[in-house]
C-alpha cells in the first residue's frame, strides 16, 4: 500500500481520536497506540502475504472511508431494517458503528445477562472488559485487526453469567447508512461456565460503497455452549472485513454458521482455539454473483487432547464472481486423540466464475483422526437426468439442484425466523424458475 | 404403444445396439434378459432419453410419435417412466417436493390445474402404505441415505403416483433381498392394467417368478437373439446364456 493511503488514514485518525471510547483506560490507550503504529507501518494486507494471496484489497484504497462524526438513527429506513430484524430476539443495533438505543429492543433481559454498548462499558467500567479485550486475537494477526483496535468507535459487550441458559437469541445488527462510511466495530462475547447462548450477527447497508471492519472476540468457557450466526448481507458495492476469534475452554461447545451473501469484496476470518475435549462445528455458505469476491478463512487450533472439530463450507459462484476458501487445522504436539474433519464444496455456475480452495492440515501429534475434502465442479449430470426423467424440465432441474446444494446449509438453522430470513436471501440471489418456496 | 424398428445405437464410435426390433402393445409385460454387456441397460437409457447415446439407424415410435425427438422430461410427461438401476441421491430436495413437482408437470402437460394439496397428500399416503414404506421417507431428501431396497421401493412409489403408461424397469431386482423383492413385485403387480405396459430389463429369472411376463426376449451382442413366452426365462435359467449365444454363433 502506498504511503499516501497510510498517511490519509493517519491524518484522519487525529481528527477522531479524542472522541474514541476508553480514553480513561490507560491499557486501552496503549493498545490503540500500538495498533495504530502497526497499521501505519504495514498498511492494509498485501497479496504478498500468504493469508491474503487470493484477495487483493487494494480496491479500498480508491476511497477514503471515514467514520461519522454525528451518529444518528434518523438515517435508518425502519421498514428496511425490520426485514432483517428477527422478531423473537433481543436486538442490539449499531448504526454506522454506533449503538442506537432507539432501534434496539432489550426489554426483559434476565439477571446475569449483560448486553450493552462496548463504548459505554469502556467509559464506565473498563475493568470489566480488560480480561477479554485483545485476548482472543492479537493485533499481529493481520492489519485489519490492528486497524480495528485503533479505530473502533463502539460495539457490543455481551456476557452470559455462569449456568444461565438464554431463553431467546440476541441479534446484533450492524447497519451502514451512508456512502464512504467507515464502520469499525468491536464485539466481545463471553459465555461463562455451563451457560448457553445463541447470538446472531447481521450486517446490512445501503446500496453504496462503504467499509465495514469488524472484530468479534468470543470466549466460551468450560462446559459452556454458544451458537453464533453471521449473516452478511452488505451492499453489493461494500467492502467487508470481519474476524471472529474464539477461545474455547475445556468441554466448551461452539457452533458457527457463516452466510456470506453481500459485499463487492468480503472476507471473513474464523479462528477457534480448542482446549481439552472441546468441540467446534463451523458451517459456511457463500453465494457469489456478478463481480463479487468472497473470501473465507478458517483456522482451528487443536491445542489440547480430545477435541473435536467439524467444518463444512459450501460455495455457489455465478457470473464473474470468485470464492476463496482457506481452511487450516493445526494439531499441537500434545493434542492427542484429536478428531477433525474439514470439507469445502464449490459449485461453479458459469465459465467465468472461480473458486480457490486451500485446505491445510498441520499435524504435530501422532494419534489423531484428521481428514479433509475439497470439490470444485458443476452440477452432477446424473442428478439432472434423474430429475428430467421425473418430468422436471432441464432449467428447473438445474435450479433445483443448485438451490438444494445451498439449502443444505440453510436447513441446519433451527431458529425459524432466522431460517426464513436466510432462505429469502438465498432465493433472492438465484434464479427461481420452477422453485416453489411453499413446498420447501 | 411402443414400436422399435431396426434400432442401432452407438456410444461414441462404438456400436452397442445393432438392429433391435420390438413391439409392445398396451397391457403387455416384456422381459428383456441377457448377459452383462449385451446392451440391456443401453436400451432402457435410450428409451428414457439419457444423453451420450447416438441413434445411428432405425426408429422408436411411442403412440405414433418419434420418441427419440423428445426431451427426457417430455417423454416422462407423456407417460414413459424409467425405474433406475441405481436411483440417484439428491441431497436438499425432499421426496415429497419432487413427487409434487413431477405430478404437477404431468398435469400441466395434460392441460390440468395443479393438484390440490390435500388430495395430493391422501394419494401419496395411500401409495406409501401400498409399498409398506414409512411416511417419514416422504420428508427425507430423495434417496439420500436410503438402503438399496428402500431406493428401489421409492422408484416404485414414484411410479405408483405418476401413473405412467410405459414402465421401463432397469435391473429392479438387483440389490434386493427376498422380502423387498416381494414388496416391490406386489407394488408392480398392483399397477398392472390393460392400458399400462412394462419393459423389465433383468439379468436373472427370479424377478419373473413374482412378475409374470407375457414375452421374454434375449439380448446378446446388441441384438434380440431369441423371443418366447414366460417359459423361455426358465429354460435360460437352466441352460445359461451361453445356450442362446452359441445358437446365435451357429446360425
Amino acid at each position: 500500500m502506498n504511503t499516501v493511503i497510510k498517511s490519509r488514514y493517519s491524518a484522519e485518525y487525529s481528527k477522531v481520536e479524542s472522541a474514541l471510547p476508553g480514553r480513561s483506560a490507560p491499557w486501552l490507550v496503549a493498545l490503540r497506540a500500538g495498533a495504530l503504529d502497526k497499521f501505519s507501518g504495514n498498511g492494509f494486507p498485501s497479496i504478498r502475504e500468504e493469508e491474503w494471496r487470493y484477495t487483493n484489497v487494494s480496491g479500498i484504497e480508491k476511497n477514503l472511508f471515514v467514520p461519522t462524526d454525528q451518529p444518528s438513527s434518523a438515517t435508518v429506513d425502519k421498514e428496511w431494517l425490520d426485514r432483517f430484524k428477527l422478531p423473537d430476539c433481543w436486538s442490539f443495533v449499531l448504526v454506522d458503528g454506533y449503538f442506537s438505543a432507539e432501534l434496539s429492543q432489550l426489554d426483559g433481559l434476565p439477571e446475569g445477562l449483560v448486553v450493552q454498548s462496548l463504548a459505554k462499558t469502556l467509559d464506565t467500567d473498563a475493568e470489566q472488559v480488560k480480561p477479554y479485550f485483545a485476548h482472543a486475537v492479537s493485533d499481529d494477526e493481520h492489519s485489519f485487526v490492528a486497524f480495528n483496535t485503533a479505530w473502533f468507535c463502539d460495539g457490543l459487550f455481551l456476557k452470559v453469567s455462569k449456568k444461565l441458559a438464554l431463553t431467546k437469541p440476541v441479534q446484533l445488527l450492524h447497519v451502514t447508512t451512508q456512502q464512504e462510511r467507515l464502520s469499525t466495530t468491536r464485539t466481545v462475547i463471553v459465555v461463562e461456565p455451563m451457560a448457553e447462548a445463541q447470538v446472531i450477527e447481521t450486517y446490512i447497508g445501503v446500496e453504496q460503497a462503504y467499509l465495514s471492519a469488524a472484530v468479534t472476540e468470543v470466549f466460551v468457557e468450560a462446559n459452556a455452549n454458544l451458537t453464533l450466526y453471521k449473516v452478511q448481507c452488505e451492499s453489493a458495492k461494500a467492502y467487508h472485513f470481519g474476524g471472529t476469534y474464539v477461545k474455547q475452554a475445556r468441554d466448551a461447545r461452539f457452533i458457527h454458521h457463516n452466510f456470506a451473501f453481500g459485499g463487492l469484496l468480503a472476507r471473513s476470518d474464523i479462528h477457534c482455539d480448542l482446549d481439552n475435549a472441546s468441540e467446534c462445528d463451523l458451517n459456511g455458505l457463500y453465494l457469489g454473483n456478478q463481480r463479487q469476491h468472497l473470501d473465507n478463512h478458517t483456522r482451528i487450533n487443536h491445542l489440547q487432547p480430545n477435541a473435536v472439530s467439524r467444518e463444512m463450507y459450501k460455495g455457489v459462484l455465478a457470473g464473474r464472481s470468485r470464492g476463496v476458501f482457506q481452511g487450516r487445522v493445526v494439531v499441537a504436539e500434545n493434542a492427542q486423540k484429536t478428531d477433525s474433519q474439514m470439507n469445502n464444496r464449490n459449485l461453479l455456475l458459469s465459465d467465468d466464475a472461480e473458486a480457490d480452495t486451500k485446505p491445510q492440515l498441520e499435524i504435530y501429534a501422532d494419534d489423531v483422526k484428521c481428514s479433509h475434502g475439497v470439490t470444485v465442479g458443476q452440477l452432477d449430470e446424473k442428478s439432472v437426468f434423474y430429475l428430467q426423467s421425473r418430468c422436471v424440465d432441464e432449467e428447473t432441474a438445474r435450479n433445483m439442484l443448485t438451490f438444494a446444494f445451498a439449502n443444505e446449509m440453510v436447513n441446519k438453522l433451527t431458529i425459524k425466523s432466522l431460517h426464513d430470513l436466510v432462505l429469502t436471501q438465498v432465493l433472492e440471489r438465484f434464479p427461481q424458475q420452477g422453485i416453489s418456496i411453499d413446498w420447501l | 404403444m411402443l414400436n422399435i424398428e431396426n434400432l442401432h445405437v452407438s456410444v461414441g464410435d462404438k456400436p452397442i445396439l445393432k438392429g433391435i426390433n420390438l413391439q409392445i402393445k398396451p397391457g403387455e409385460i416384456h422381459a428383456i434378459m441377457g448377459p452383462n454387456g449385451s446392451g440391456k441397460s443401453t436400451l432402457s437409457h435410450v428409451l428414457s432419453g439419457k444423453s451420450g447415446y447416438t441413434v445411428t439407424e432405425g426408429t422408436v415410435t411411442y403412440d405414433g410419435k418419434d420418441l427419440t425427438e423428445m426431451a427426457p422430461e417430455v417423454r416422462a410427461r407423456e407417460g414413459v417412466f424409467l425405474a433406475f438401476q441405481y436411483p440417484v441421491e439428491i441431497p436438499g430436495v425432499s421426496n415429497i417436493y419432487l413427487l409434487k413437482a413431477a405430478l404437477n408437470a404431468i398435469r400441466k402437460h395434460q392441460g390440468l390445474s395443479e393438484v390440490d394439496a390435500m388430495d395430493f397428500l391422501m394419494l401419496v399416503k395411500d401409495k406409501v402404505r401400498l409399498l409398506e414404506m414409512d411416511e417419514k421417507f416422504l420428508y427425507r431428501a430423495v434417496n439420500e441415505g436410503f438402503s438399496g431396497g428402500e431406493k428401489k421401493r421409492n422408484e416404485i412409489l414414484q411410479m405408483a403416483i405418476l401413473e405412467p403408461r410405459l414402465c421401463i424397469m432397469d435391473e429392479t431386482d438387483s440389490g434386493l433381498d427376498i422380502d423387498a423383492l416381494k414388496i416391490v413385485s406386489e407394488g408392480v403387480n398392483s399397477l398392472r392394467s390393460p392400458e399400462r405396459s412394462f419393459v423389465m430389463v433383468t439379468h436373472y429369472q427370479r424377478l419373473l417368478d413374482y412378475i409374470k411376463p407375457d414375452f421374454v426376449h434375449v439380448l446378446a451382442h446388441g441384438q434380440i437373439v431369441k423371443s418366447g413366452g414366460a417359459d423361455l426365462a426358465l429354460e435360460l435359467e437352466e441352460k445359461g446364456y451361453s445356450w442362446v449365444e452359441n445358437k446365435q454363433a451357429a446360425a
Side-chain angles (χ1 to χ4, degrees):
Chain A
M1 187 169 76
N2 67 49
T3 46
V4 178
I5 301 299
K6 285 184 246 178
S7 63
R8 270 162 82 187
Y9 277 96
S10 303
E12 269 318 295
Y13 195 77
S14 60
K15 291 188 214 161
V16 298
E17 192 176 9
S18 60
L20 293 175
R23 300 298 298 162
S24 55
W27 59 269
L28 184 59
V29 174
L31 261 175
R32 286 207 197 249
L36 188 68
D37 268 358
K38 276 179 191 137
F39 175 74
S40 302
N42 302 328
F44 290 116
S46 127
I47 50 168
R48 286 189 297 274
E49 293 170 51
E50 179 59 24
E51 300 280 301
W52 291 83
R53 58 183 286 203
Y54 299 113
T55 297
N56 188 340
V57 306
S58 62
I60 61 177
E61 294 170 9
K62 288 187 207 132
N63 307 58
L64 176 68
F65 297 100
V66 290
T68 176
D69 49 4
Q70 284 178 314
S72 159
S73 307
T75 49
V76 180
D77 175 348
K78 306 253 179 348
E79 217 171 280
W80 166 66
L81 178 65
D82 282 343
R83 297 216 322 259
F84 296 92
K85 213 167 168 181
L86 303 176
D88 41 6
C89 300
W90 286 295
S91 51
F92 184 95
V93 182
L94 293 163
V95 179
D96 298 323
Y98 291 88
F99 172 56
S100 162
E102 187 196 331
L103 297 173
S104 300
Q105 199 293 103
L106 297 168
D107 296 340
L109 290 181
E111 200 177 319
L113 172 62
V114 177
V115 180
Q116 66 188 30
S117 148
L118 182 69
K120 186 186 155 205
T121 317
L122 287 169
D123 286 333
T124 55
D125 185 10
E127 289 304 301
Q128 239 201 109
V129 181
K130 195 182 168 191
Y132 306 108
F133 195 98
H135 282 67
V137 65
S138 126
D139 292 331
D140 296 322
E141 183 59 40
H142 59 64
S143 292
F144 279 103
V145 178
F147 182 79
N148 180 280
T149 302
W151 281 83
F152 80 91
C153 55
D154 202 349
L156 165 68
F157 179 61
L158 188 153
K159 191 170 177 180
V160 188
S161 50
K162 206 171 169 177
K163 289 191 185 171
L164 177 65
L166 295 190
T167 52
K168 54 182 184 178
V170 178
Q171 186 186 19
L172 168 59
L173 287 121
H174 295 258
V175 187
T176 306
T177 67
Q178 283 161 54
Q179 189 170 8
E180 307 218 313
R181 203 37 88 224
L182 169 65
S183 294
T184 315
T185 55
R186 186 88 166 205
T187 294
V188 176
I189 298 172
V190 183
V191 187
E192 289 196 334
M194 287 172 279
E196 252 183 75
Q198 300 199 74
V199 180
I200 302 154
E201 292 185 282
T202 316
Y203 293 85
I204 57 174
V206 288
E207 281 305 311
Q208 297 290 350
Y210 57 83
L211 171 59
S212 159
V215 167
T216 302
E217 292 190 87
V218 179
F219 301 83
V220 193
E221 299 187 341
N223 277 302
N225 235 309
L226 173 69
T227 306
L228 183 64
Y229 306 84
K230 175 172 177 176
V231 186
Q232 188 272 94
C233 302
E234 304 274 24
S235 109
K237 296 175 184 169
Y239 296 92
H240 172 96
F241 299 91
T244 304
Y245 302 92
V246 187
K247 271 195 143 27
Q248 293 181 240
R250 59 177 308 136
D251 300 303
R253 279 193 74 201
F254 174 71
I255 301 172
H256 195 247
H257 295 271
N258 180 9
F259 296 96
F261 297 154
L264 178 63
L265 194 165
R267 154 107 168 198
S268 278
D269 286 87
I270 320 292
H271 289 192
C272 291
D273 285 345
L274 302 179
D275 201 340
N276 203 331
S278 58
E279 289 175 37
C280 79
D281 183 0
L282 306 184
N283 304 284
L285 176 65
Y286 43 101
L287 305 181
N289 237 318
Q290 292 166 343
R291 291 184 158 275
Q292 279 185 294
H293 180 110
L294 302 173
D295 181 356
N296 291 285
H297 256 68
T298 67
R299 191 191 308 158
I300 299 170
N301 292 316
H302 281 265
L303 301 172
Q304 297 294 334
N306 305 313
V308 178
S309 62
R310 293 286 178 270
E311 186 167 8
M312 171 58 91
Y313 265 71
K314 281 188 165 190
V316 182
L317 302 161
R320 305 179 65 85
S321 69
R322 187 168 174 201
V324 178
F325 173 81
Q326 284 202 60
R328 201 163 137 203
V329 174
V330 184
V331 181
E333 202 177 335
N334 67 326
Q336 301 295 3
K337 306 285 179 195
T338 284
D339 176 356
S340 172
Q341 285 174 19
M342 169 168 45
N343 270 293
N344 174 229
R345 299 200 190 135
N346 295 282
L347 196 55
L348 300 180
L349 298 184
S350 85
D351 291 342
D352 296 321
E354 181 178 330
D356 299 294
T357 173
K358 190 175 157 202
Q360 289 169 278
L361 291 179
E362 284 170 42
I363 304 172
Y364 301 100
D366 52 17
D367 182 14
V368 300
K369 210 163 70 186
C370 293
S371 68
H372 67 80
V374 160
T375 57
V376 177
Q378 276 88 33
L379 290 171
D380 174 29
E381 291 305 320
K382 274 193 217 144
S383 304
V384 176
F385 176 65
Y386 188 78
L387 292 178
Q388 282 183 282
S389 77
R390 297 298 176 257
C391 311
V392 177
D393 67 87
E394 187 177 345
E395 186 188 351
T396 301
R398 290 184 183 280
N399 289 348
M400 273 170 80
L401 291 169
T402 305
F403 179 75
F405 178 84
N407 196 35
E408 229 189 338
M409 303 312 288
V410 183
N411 271 341
K412 292 185 179 189
L413 300 174
T414 51
I415 302 170
K416 174 83 171 63
S417 57
L418 176 64
H419 171 272
D420 294 352
L421 170 69
V422 173
L423 184 62
T424 310
Q425 289 298 318
V426 172
L427 285 171
E428 270 178 21
R429 286 171 162 80
F430 279 100
Q432 293 174 38
Q433 173 63 39
I435 293 179
S436 174
I437 187 164
D438 47 317
W439 301 350
L440 301 171
Chain B
M1 169 180 276
L2 184 73
N3 201 358
I4 304 177
E5 272 180 41
N6 190 30
L7 180 67
H8 287 70
V9 173
S10 298
V11 174
D13 293 337
K14 197 180 170 207
I16 307 286
L17 299 182
K18 302 162 189 167
I20 302 277
N21 291 293
L22 187 63
Q23 266 198 351
I24 296 171
K25 296 196 177 73
E28 290 177 352
I29 298 193
H30 291 245
I32 312 269
M33 300 183 70
N36 292 331
S38 57
K40 300 193 301 288
S41 281
T42 299
L43 181 60
S44 53
H45 289 158
V46 168
L47 292 179
S48 56
K50 192 174 182 184
S51 61
Y53 300 93
T54 318
V55 176
T56 51
E57 219 184 313
T59 56
V60 182
T61 323
Y62 172 73
D63 272 353
K65 289 177 235 172
D66 183 354
L67 195 66
T68 58
E69 286 295 308
M70 295 181 206
E73 62 269 26
V74 177
R75 300 179 198 206
R77 292 170 192 166
E78 287 275 340
V80 178
F81 184 95
L82 171 66
F84 281 63
Q85 181 179 5
Y86 303 109
V88 180
E89 296 193 11
I90 308 192
V93 176
S94 77
N95 236 344
I96 194 153
Y97 181 99
L98 177 58
L99 286 169
K100 201 167 174 178
L103 188 60
N104 277 331
I106 292 178
R107 291 177 63 93
K108 196 174 165 195
H109 191 70
Q110 295 169 341
L112 301 170
S113 61
E114 288 201 351
V115 62
D116 172 77
M118 286 311 290
D119 293 347
F120 175 70
L121 214 58
M122 297 253 289
L123 168 74
V124 170
K125 288 189 172 175
D126 190 42
K127 303 298 182 189
V128 160
R129 267 193 299 277
L130 173 76
L131 288 156
E132 298 180 32
M133 288 170 78
D134 190 331
E135 272 183 32
K136 283 184 197 136
F137 277 95
L138 291 171
Y139 301 97
R140 282 174 51 183
V142 178
N143 293 323
E144 193 187 30
F146 287 24
S147 71
E150 286 162 352
K151 283 180 182 168
K152 295 293 171 80
R153 253 191 265 186
N154 202 31
E155 296 290 287
I156 308 302
L157 173 70
Q158 295 172 348
M159 193 195 272
I161 288 165
L162 301 180
E163 301 189 318
R165 286 188 303 130
L166 175 63
C167 307
I168 304 159
M169 302 175 59
D170 190 4
E171 306 267 3
T172 293
D173 53 333
S174 72
L176 287 188
D177 61 28
I178 288 294
D179 292 338
L181 185 63
K182 252 175 127 169
I183 294 166
V184 164
S185 308
E186 278 164 18
V188 171
N189 285 328
S190 74
L191 291 172
R192 292 183 72 159
S193 86
E195 295 81 38
R196 185 170 293 135
S197 314
F198 291 82
V199 177
M200 293 194 297
V201 172
T202 180
H203 189 86
Y204 300 105
Q205 188 266 337
R206 67 170 191 166
L207 178 68
L208 309 181
D209 286 342
Y210 296 91
I211 307 170
K212 197 168 175 292
D214 300 308
F215 302 96
V216 174
H217 310 278
V218 183
L219 200 61
H221 309 299
Q223 287 181 319
I224 290 176
V225 293
K226 196 168 174 60
S227 295
D231 296 343
L232 178 57
L234 294 169
E235 202 174 345
L236 270 175
E237 184 79 358
E238 196 186 314
K239 298 182 177 169
Y241 284 117
S242 54
W243 167 57
V244 281
E245 286 181 283
N246 292 341
K247 272 175 77 168
Q248 187 194 22

